[in-house]
Amino acid sequence: MSDLHVEPSLRAGMVYAALRSPSFMIGLVLTLIFIAAALISFFWTPYDVTQLNIADKLQQPSAAHWFGTDAFGRDIFSMIMVGARVSIAVALVAVGIGIVVGVPLGLLAAARHGSLIDEIIMRTNDLVFAFPALLMAIMITAVFGPSAINAITAIGIFNIPVFARLARGAALSLWQRDYVLAARVAGKGRARISAEHILPNLANLLIVQGTIQFSLGILAEAGLAFFGLGTQPPLPSWGRMLSEAQTLIYIASYVAIFPGLAIVFTVLGLNLMGDGLRDIFDPKLRRAR
Amino acid sequence: MLPFVIKRLVSLTLSLVAASLVIFFVIEVVPGDPASFMLGLNASPETVAALRDSLGLNASAPIRYWQWITGLLQGEFGISYTYKVPVRDLILDRIWISMPLAVYALILSTVIAFPVGVLAASRRNSPTDVSIMGVTQLGIAVPNFWFGMLLVLLFAVTLGWFSAGGFPGWEAGFFAGMKALTLPAVALALPQASILARVMRSSLLDTLGEDFVRTARAKGLTRRQALWRHALRNALIPVLTIIGLQFSFLLAGAIIIENVFFLPGLGRLVFQGITQRDLIVVKSVIFLLVFAVILVTFIVDITYAIADPRLRRARS
Amino acid sequence: MALLEIENLALSIKGTPILRDIDLKVDAGEVAGVVGESGSGKSMTAMAIMQLLPVGTQWQGAIRLDGKALETYSEKDMCALRGNDIGMVFQEPMTALNPVQTIGDQVAETILVHSGKSRSEARRIAREALNRVGLPEAQFPLDRYPHDLSGGQRQRVVIAMAIALQPKLLIADEPTTALDVTTQAQILRLLKQLVDEDGMGLILITHDLAVVADMADHIVIMKEGEVVEAGNTLDLFRRMKHPYTKALFEASSHVPVRNPVHVAERGEPVIEVSSVVRDYPLPRRSLFKAPGHFRAVDNVSLAIMRGENVGLVGESGCGKSTLTRAILALDPIQAGEIKLNGGVFSTSGEGPDRDMRRRVQVVFQDPYSSFNPRHRVDRLIAEPFHLLESQPDRADKRRRIDAALTNVGLSPSDAHKYIHEFSGGQRQRIAIARALIIEPSLIVLDEAVSALDVSIRAQILDLLADLSDRLAISYLFISHDLSVVRAITDRVLVMKSGQVVEEGSTEDVFRDPQHAYTRELLAATPILDEALKAREARAAAK
């Protein structure tokens, strides 16, 4: 966290840096492809994914079915398009929960550094960290039953301490800056300083971490769905497509290959974009690494 | 050093108490009546009442919590509702698969990540570094269960070198057991190794930029000597944290991987516990896993203090 | 043949020229001073001698050690040379040592990499080296870790590492910049003594003319990667051919002209600090004992009159920063009272009075961390308007921002720029504008010129003197730099261990210090004129 600042007039320079950063551009393209697939699936897919067609089951990839069909004759390409919708929605909402709850907590803890409230927030964070997202999800689904909402809750809760810690750590170093002291000399309160001076200077860091948590969220959602704890039928999801493919792997390996590749490319795209953003926001880091 | 250890032990105990409260609350208090939850909608009131009675659910929540905790301290986890055997026996049967699997994967990921990370850092921006960074970027993106399926496809289905799943039992011999755990461990380890290698690299690069490395070079150490003697030990400190965190991810990941490879471990047990609504099994196994995670965090903290003399003083 | 000869050294990093046409000569037993402001290329010259250059560096010219050209040395030969024939001491002692290795191991390593000596023999030599630099075994056994030592002690360890093998050449790159004056004096004395005893050549790199005037036999003055003037110390200062040398010389001992308006009736003090105490809680040692506390400010009183400039000097840890924070009401006080213009501002019981807060403003040391990089200058300097009862309307605000900018020598058109468009000196002007804008009666200048190069420092001092004269503002000028305090203040307070040990008019205190600590401080402070006079006297005696 050598430098959190992006000087506003450097924004034009950042656009230029973004265009020249191969990892950012590849990441952006991959991410846009999947977002586009998810959006298009609301209006159009090559085949109806809720329609079973046993006669067409387990077709090899062909011109008619680009990625083949599954054991119920559904078009895998169409299922992946709809699956993108679920994956992106779950991960996005989970990251949103993490940011909306975690960042204010982190800012509060930093503003009241060393106080009881700081201690309570950080200890609670540690406790939540002791339950990996999957364990959390298992617990929640064991009680409430499997559903997409529960998957979102579980991943979202796990994201809270991630963002709280990040925000607190970065905010603590910003609180040491002289401009914060100057604001205090100008009579501004902790809440106002947090909003005016701390949060805006955390934004870049949060964007970078946000893309990383987004990709982790997609992996976690796939894991939960694979385990049967995520999205429920009839809506297809990448994780469940893989779990259904498990028994078919001996006869039709492509059933397992394509949904897996969809996950890999989405996550890869987001990670590359996150890495690229970090470099673009922090030219010092780009030189160092 | 001793006050530091005691302080960490107190915090370890507090975390365990807090974790047990959370688990108890979510599993026994939130569903309302666990007995009718476990039996489902079609159960007759008499059966529910009988189950309530046998589970001791008529007592108040604090008392039940107290009984659960005192039981745990004596190694008694209760009787499984579906298996009708003590949960302790179920866990003891399966822990000898899950534990070795997690440790095997952790060792694999560390052994792979370490040299790879050091190599990439010492040849920064070289083609070696760029390819390593590319491969690890891919490794992070691969879900471990899918990677497990690909391993089965290649090594079991196509090549026939390994069996596709199952576990022969340790009675079949150490090597037979390890062989059965190898594909699952690799599936677990590679994505984690990718993360670890990247952390190792960036931490080492940070340390190589420190003033004391320049001091070492001014003393006449070669680039290599400065890296091995001065940078590495300092770079390891953040890496230790990640290794600690990874253990909890590996434990959780093992739950899924065990289902991919049909290994009769704790993951299968939890999975079955959920599908059969056996809350007693779910509650105990989750507590055990959380206990393992907290314990590892404690061990990492202690290792930290050994690696960094500043902490022995500052934190104690 | 000189020990080290540099001829026509030119150096560029990834195509950007850094050094041009550098010549430098050092003989055995001689001290060469390399002087320059930041960005002059003095450190890069040192790294070129060590051949520890950043990736992508290219250099031409000749660097000869003992007549042997370094460009013929392989990296392996250079490793054998570094630490053995050339030792180096760096600026930042706090980070120059490996935190996870004992000081004994770190010093012994120099010996182990260069000789086939056994571990125990190496440790014995390390022990001797540490003894020589003033770290005796009784308090500084070999198995201590760096974090146990103070900055000055760590610098001694670094020096022990550099001289353990009695190198022919020692390079010291700003070795005392991060240290207090009394520690600086000790370290400089130690370096001088080591040079005399071992007959080493020493290259002393510094920004401080007074230090080189005292230490160096001959001097090289650098600016923007070039040598502007070089020669024997006395001759160079007598002649000062190059205008830059002259400017540097004048800026180093610059005293701004003061014409204080005569405030006939000074009346009540602008600020009156009475018996203020500030305690810090120490970390809890045990669960059962109440945590102790550290008294950073112990019963301090001071008063500043209207238009008066008061200096507060002391070394790091003396409590001056803590006192500043208490005066600014950033931290609570545990006892005593602070009054502004006769009204109570803050006491131990109650927090500060918001309405009074506008009477004190502040300028900090670091011009780079003093501003939120996301705001424009007008928003930055208008921040203290927050303290006003009613916000000024747009036109009024506009007018006051323009006035503040004009007052500090900037133009109203600068209001729409972002802070990164300004240099360090300009940023410090903006910081002063921010402090001025609500017309406070007191401005606290917390090491406000310490981070600036001497030429910029002189300009800011002039500005401050001018503002104080014109607007009759009082300053509390906090600094570790005695010569700056002498130049700008009317009265001075000396702080040590949380207490004011001496107080009086600046001239009296500097001419006739009463307290032993003040005398020690003054003796340790390098003063350009006096160093030159002493040098002349020595030359005459010969």
Side-chain angles (χ1 to χ4, degrees):
Chain A
M1 201 183 325
S2 43
D3 200 327
L4 301 162
H5 304 307
V6 175
E7 317 270 354
S9 88
L10 295 182
R11 274 182 196 143
M14 274 166 47
V15 173
Y16 181 65
L19 290 173
R20 287 201 328 159
S21 158
S23 68
F24 177 78
M25 290 311 289
I26 297 172
L28 185 70
V29 168
L30 281 174
T31 310
L32 287 180
I33 288 175
F34 282 96
I35 290 177
L39 291 178
I40 293 170
S41 77
F42 280 102
F43 311 104
W44 174 82
T45 49
Y47 294 87
D48 184 354
V49 293
T50 49
Q51 204 67 49
L52 307 188
N53 187 356
I54 304 296
D56 270 351
K57 72 172 184 180
L58 295 179
Q59 299 275 315
Q60 293 277 342
S62 65
H65 297 282
W66 292 355
F67 293 173
T69 60
D70 75 350
F72 301 101
R74 291 173 296 185
D75 178 51
I76 292 181
F77 185 79
S78 307
M79 289 173 79
I80 286 178
M81 280 177 74
V82 180
R85 199 199 291 172
V86 175
S87 280
I88 290 172
V90 169
L92 207 57
V93 177
V95 171
I97 293 175
I99 289 179
V100 168
V101 182
V103 173
L105 283 176
L107 289 178
L108 176 65
R112 299 257 164 218
H113 178 48
S115 69
L116 188 65
I117 187 131
D118 179 22
E119 191 69 15
I120 291 172
I121 291 174
M122 292 324 286
R123 291 301 132 243
T124 318
N125 262 339
D126 289 350
L127 185 65
V128 177
F129 248 1
F131 293 80
L134 195 70
L135 278 187
M136 192 92 87
I138 288 172
M139 239 165 65
I140 292 172
T141 44
V143 174
F144 298 100
S147 76
I149 301 292
N150 290 342
I152 289 174
T153 316
I155 303 168
I157 290 176
F158 186 69
N159 272 334
I160 294 172
V162 173
F163 283 101
R165 261 185 204 199
L166 180 78
R168 177 177 177 273
L172 278 182
S173 88
L174 289 176
W175 272 96
Q176 301 301 317
R177 301 273 167 125
D178 287 342
Y179 63 76
V180 171
L181 283 183
R184 290 183 62 196
V185 173
K188 289 185 175 165
R190 291 173 204 268
R192 178 134 188 204
I193 290 175
S194 292
E196 227 171 78
H197 292 295
I198 308 285
L199 187 59
N201 286 305
L202 289 182
N204 295 333
L205 209 59
L206 294 177
I207 292 171
V208 171
Q209 192 66 39
T211 54
I212 293 169
Q213 293 306 121
F214 190 8
S215 77
L216 286 177
I218 285 181
L219 278 178
E221 191 273 339
L224 290 176
F226 181 82
F227 212 45
L229 303 181
T231 329
Q232 295 303 299
L235 211 55
S237 95
W238 295 345
R240 219 183 44 256
M241 287 168 78
L242 286 177
S243 101
E244 283 162 7
Q246 224 193 321
T247 47
L248 302 171
I249 200 165
Y250 303 95
I251 40 176
S253 55
Y254 61 87
V255 183
I257 303 280
F258 290 111
L261 286 179
I263 298 173
V264 171
F265 283 122
T266 315
V267 174
L268 188 64
L270 285 165
N271 284 341
L272 286 174
M273 209 165 74
D275 271 17
L277 280 174
R278 181 171 22 212
D279 290 354
I280 293 161
F281 287 148
D282 192 347
K284 233 187 273 170
L285 213 66
R286 182 170 42 194
R287 254 180 282 127
R289 295 192 180 165
Chain B
M1 189 73 191
L2 190 66
F4 176 74
V5 175
I6 291 172
K7 208 174 159 190
R8 300 316 299 168
L9 266 176
V10 170
S11 129
L12 166 95
T13 318
L14 288 176
S15 304
L16 283 178
V17 170
S20 66
L21 277 168
V22 170
I23 294 171
F24 181 83
F25 182 79
V26 171
I27 292 194
E28 294 226 2
V29 181
V30 172
D33 180 5
S36 49
F37 176 83
M38 285 163 76
L39 291 171
L41 293 174
N42 302 327
S44 68
E46 292 79 41
T47 12
V48 175
L51 182 65
R52 287 180 67 86
D53 205 39
S54 73
L55 292 178
L57 288 178
N58 292 320
S60 69
I63 291 177
R64 277 184 286 143
Y65 175 71
W66 179 249
Q67 285 168 347
W68 181 48
I69 290 297
T70 45
L72 283 182
L73 288 177
Q74 292 156 15
E76 287 302 331
F77 293 76
I79 309 284
S80 158
Y81 156 69
T82 40
Y83 294 88
K84 312 285 182 214
V85 288
V87 176
R88 182 191 52 196
D89 297 348
L90 290 173
I91 289 175
L92 279 179
D93 278 351
R94 285 153 177 87
I95 202 163
W96 294 112
I97 293 170
S98 297
M99 265 303 177
L101 177 60
V103 172
Y104 191 0
L106 191 69
I107 292 174
L108 262 184
S109 101
T110 314
V111 166
I112 296 168
F114 213 75
V116 169
V118 174
L119 183 71
S122 62
R123 305 209 177 147
R124 174 164 51 147
N125 292 339
S126 71
T128 318
D129 181 26
V130 173
S131 355
I132 288 174
M133 292 310 279
V135 171
T136 51
Q137 190 67 269
L138 199 64
I140 293 174
V142 173
N144 55 24
F145 54 90
W146 183 61
F147 189 51
M149 288 165 66
L150 293 185
L151 288 176
V152 168
L153 197 60
L154 181 63
F155 292 103
V157 180
T158 312
L159 296 172
W161 294 353
F162 291 89
S163 66
F167 189 70
W170 292 109
E171 311 83 62
F174 178 74
F175 285 104
M178 289 305 275
K179 194 181 170 195
L181 291 183
T182 297
L183 285 188
V186 170
L188 272 175
L190 276 193
Q192 300 295 322
S194 301
I195 298 175
L196 201 58
R198 292 175 79 90
V199 173
M200 183 76 223
R201 173 184 179 272
S202 75
S203 169
L204 195 52
L205 284 181
D206 283 349
T207 337
L208 282 172
E210 297 269 356
D211 283 355
F212 63 79
V213 174
R214 186 183 57 182
T215 310
R217 294 278 283 139
K219 278 197 273 190
L221 271 69
T222 61
R223 203 178 290 276
R224 224 186 153 73
Q225 284 170 326
L227 190 152
W228 285 100
R229 295 192 198 169
H230 291 275
L232 200 58
R233 190 163 156 204
N234 283 282
L236 277 182
I237 293 168
V239 175
L240 272 177
T241 319
I242 303 294
I243 293 181
L245 270 181
Q246 291 213 329
F247 189 73
S248 67
F249 282 110
L250 287 174
L251 272 179
I255 298 180
I256 297 188
I257 287 291
E258 281 173 13
N259 284 289
V260 173
F261 288 91
F262 308 104
L263 295 174
L266 292 175
R268 292 291 287 177
L269 186 62
V270 166
F271 187 62
Q272 286 155 353
I274 290 174
T275 43
Q276 290 154 359
R277 301 192 159 197
D278 191 340
L279 291 184
I280 312 218
V281 166
V282 174
K283 177 174 76 175
S284 304
V285 177
I286 287 183
F287 181 75
L288 198 70
L289 294 177
V290 171
F291 173 74
V293 171
I294 292 175
L295 190 69
V296 169
T297 314
F298 169 76
I299 294 170
V300 168
D301 275 352
I302 301 294
T303 327
Y304 240 69
I306 294 169
D308 190 342
R310 284 165 298 184
L311 291 181
R312 278 174 233 163
R313 188 42 120 48
R315 287 222 202 138
S316 62
Chain C
M1 183 183 61
L3 171 64
L4 176 83
E5 278 175 305
I6 299 180
E7 270 170 28
N8 297 325
L9 172 68
L11 184 148
S12 64
I13 300 178
K14 292 182 179 153
T16 315
I18 306 290
L19 300 176
R20 276 181 309 278
D21 214 8
I22 306 286
D23 291 321
L24 177 69
K25 236 166 101 175
V26 190
D27 278 315
E30 190 186 62
V31 180
V34 177
V35 188
E37 297 185 294
S38 45
S40 62
K42 50 195 197 303
S43 294
M44 198 52 80
T45 310
M47 295 324 261
I49 302 171
M50 293 298 277
Q51 290 288 297
L52 289 175
L53 293 161
V55 184
T57 308
Q58 288 194 308
W59 64 279
Q60 297 100 41
I63 304 175
R64 285 188 291 272
L65 188 73
D66 267 340
K68 273 181 275 177
L70 288 194
E71 54 267 35
T72 63
Y73 280 58
S74 67
E75 173 57 23
K76 198 173 151 230
D77 298 334
M78 273 318 296
C79 284
L81 203 70
R82 290 184 206 117
N84 198 8
D85 293 325
I86 316 177
M88 184 151 180
V89 180
F90 303 95
Q91 173 171 356
E92 251 320 318
M94 300 314 274
T95 50
L97 293 171
N98 184 344
V100 302
Q101 230 178 47
T102 63
I103 58 171
D105 284 344
Q106 293 189 58
V107 178
E109 190 175 33
T110 309
I111 298 131
L112 285 170
V113 283
H114 289 292
S115 65
K117 293 207 166 68
S118 69
R119 227 185 118 69
S120 61
E121 178 65 5
R123 285 176 74 85
R124 195 188 57 73
I125 299 174
R127 183 67 264 163
E128 273 171 21
L130 285 169
N131 294 346
R132 274 190 83 192
V133 300
L135 299 175
E137 175 149 32
Q139 296 124 280
F140 303 97
L142 292 178
D143 58 3
R144 287 190 74 167
Y145 283 97
H147 64 89
D148 281 336
L149 308 180
S150 71
Q153 289 160 353
R154 290 187 206 193
Q155 196 64 305
R156 286 170 191 270
V157 176
V158 176
I159 295 174
M161 253 159 31
I163 56 115
L165 292 172
Q166 293 166 320
K168 298 172 191 149
L169 178 67
L170 183 63
I171 304 173
D173 186 359
E174 303 265 11
T176 56
T177 307
L179 304 174
D180 282 325
V181 278
T182 49
T183 321
Q184 158 165 304
Q186 291 161 8
I187 294 288
L188 291 175
R189 212 178 304 135
L190 172 66
L191 286 173
K192 187 93 188 155
Q193 178 202 335
L194 291 169
V195 167
D196 292 344
E197 284 173 9
D198 292 358
M200 274 186 294
L202 171 67
I203 298 180
L204 180 65
I205 296 169
T206 177
H207 64 282
D208 191 337
L209 278 184
V211 167
V212 278
D214 179 36
M215 293 277 293
D217 301 307
H218 64 99
I219 294 179
V220 170
I221 297 191
M222 288 183 70
K223 186 193 182 206
E224 290 163 15
E226 280 180 289
V227 173
V228 296
E229 193 163 357
N232 171 287
T233 304
L234 272 181
D235 295 345
L236 184 133
F237 279 111
R238 266 188 212 130
R239 264 186 248 130
M240 293 202 279
K241 268 191 236 152
H242 199 280
Y244 180 71
T245 315
K246 220 175 276 170
L248 207 58
F249 182 84
E250 271 155 24
S252 297
S253 39
H254 181 75
V255 178
V257 184
R258 306 264 319 269
N259 298 302
V261 277
H262 281 281
V263 185
E265 196 56 52
R266 278 206 149 155
E268 235 152 356
V270 168
I271 186 168
E272 198 177 355
V273 172
S274 355
S275 314
V276 161
V277 170
R278 171 81 180 108
D279 291 333
Y280 280 117
L282 289 174
R284 197 177 264 272
R285 286 252 162 258
S286 132
L287 269 179
F288 310 103
K289 266 183 267 166
H293 61 256
F294 170 72
R295 184 151 289 188
V297 172
D298 186 5
N299 214 6
V300 166
S301 302
L302 64 90
I304 302 175
M305 296 296 169
R306 187 167 142 80
E308 191 183 28
N309 293 352
V310 173
L312 181 62
V313 297
E315 297 186 295
S316 48
C318 74
K320 60 186 194 302
S321 311
T322 310
L323 180 62
T324 315
R325 292 178 65 92
I327 288 174
L328 294 170
L330 291 173
D331 289 337
I333 52 178
Q334 276 67 46
E337 183 181 68
I338 298 172
K339 279 183 175 173
L340 292 175
N341 302 97
V344 177
F345 176 44
S346 72
T347 62
S348 52
E350 294 156 55
D353 183 333
R354 179 190 150 98
D355 201 31
M356 283 188 168
R357 202 163 201 158
R358 52 176 289 226
R359 298 185 193 161
V360 192
Q361 286 297 305
V362 65
V363 176
F364 295 108
Q365 171 174 6
D366 182 4
Y368 292 90
S369 91
S370 286
F371 303 97
N372 188 337
R374 293 175 171 273
H375 296 170
R376 289 176 201 272
V377 167
D378 52 358
R379 183 166 176 195
L380 289 171
I381 62 177
E383 187 159 45
F385 282 146
H386 183 71
L387 288 165
L388 300 182
E389 284 284 280
S390 58
Q391 293 298 306
D393 63 43
R394 265 182 90 88
D396 188 28
K397 205 167 170 178
R398 179 79 266 151
R399 192 185 52 73
R400 292 171 74 169
I401 289 170
D402 291 352
L405 283 173
T406 318
N407 260 330
V408 298
L410 295 170
S411 118
S413 63
D414 289 329
H416 301 292
K417 294 187 184 158
Y418 285 101
I419 196 68
H420 69 266
E421 298 174 53
F422 298 92
S423 68
Q426 287 171 321
R427 288 182 195 210
Q428 217 55 339
R429 287 174 191 267
I430 296 171
I432 295 169
R434 171 169 64 189
L436 280 177
I437 201 157
I438 45 168
E439 293 155 13
S441 24
L442 175 72
I443 296 183
V444 177
L445 299 158
D446 188 0
E447 302 275 6
V449 297
S450 304
L452 305 173
D453 277 327
V454 279
S455 45
I456 310 290
R457 171 186 304 181
Q459 293 166 14
I460 299 289
L461 287 177
D462 281 340
L463 170 67
L464 287 172
D466 171 56
L467 288 173
S468 155
D469 292 348
R470 276 197 292 131
L471 310 173
I473 304 175
S474 310
Y475 294 141
L476 176 60
F477 197 97
I478 292 132
S479 183
H480 69 281
D481 186 335
L482 273 73
S483 52
V484 170
V485 170
R486 186 171 196 175
I488 192 149
T489 62
D490 308 311
R491 213 145 51 76
V492 67
L493 290 91
V494 182
M495 250 186 116
K496 184 181 192 259
S497 318
Q499 290 175 322
V500 173
V501 296
E502 182 157 359
E503 179 178 2
S505 95
T506 305
E507 265 324 293
D508 292 350
V509 171
F510 274 79
R511 202 170 294 141
D512 183 21
Q514 298 302 308
H515 195 275
Y517 177 68
T518 316
R519 282 199 285 270
E520 192 190 336
L521 268 186
L522 283 170
T525 306
I527 297 168
L528 187 48
D529 289 342
E530 288 174 18
L532 285 174
K533 271 180 210 145
R535 190 165 276 279
E536 266 169 1
R538 255 178 288 155
K542 268 183 202 164

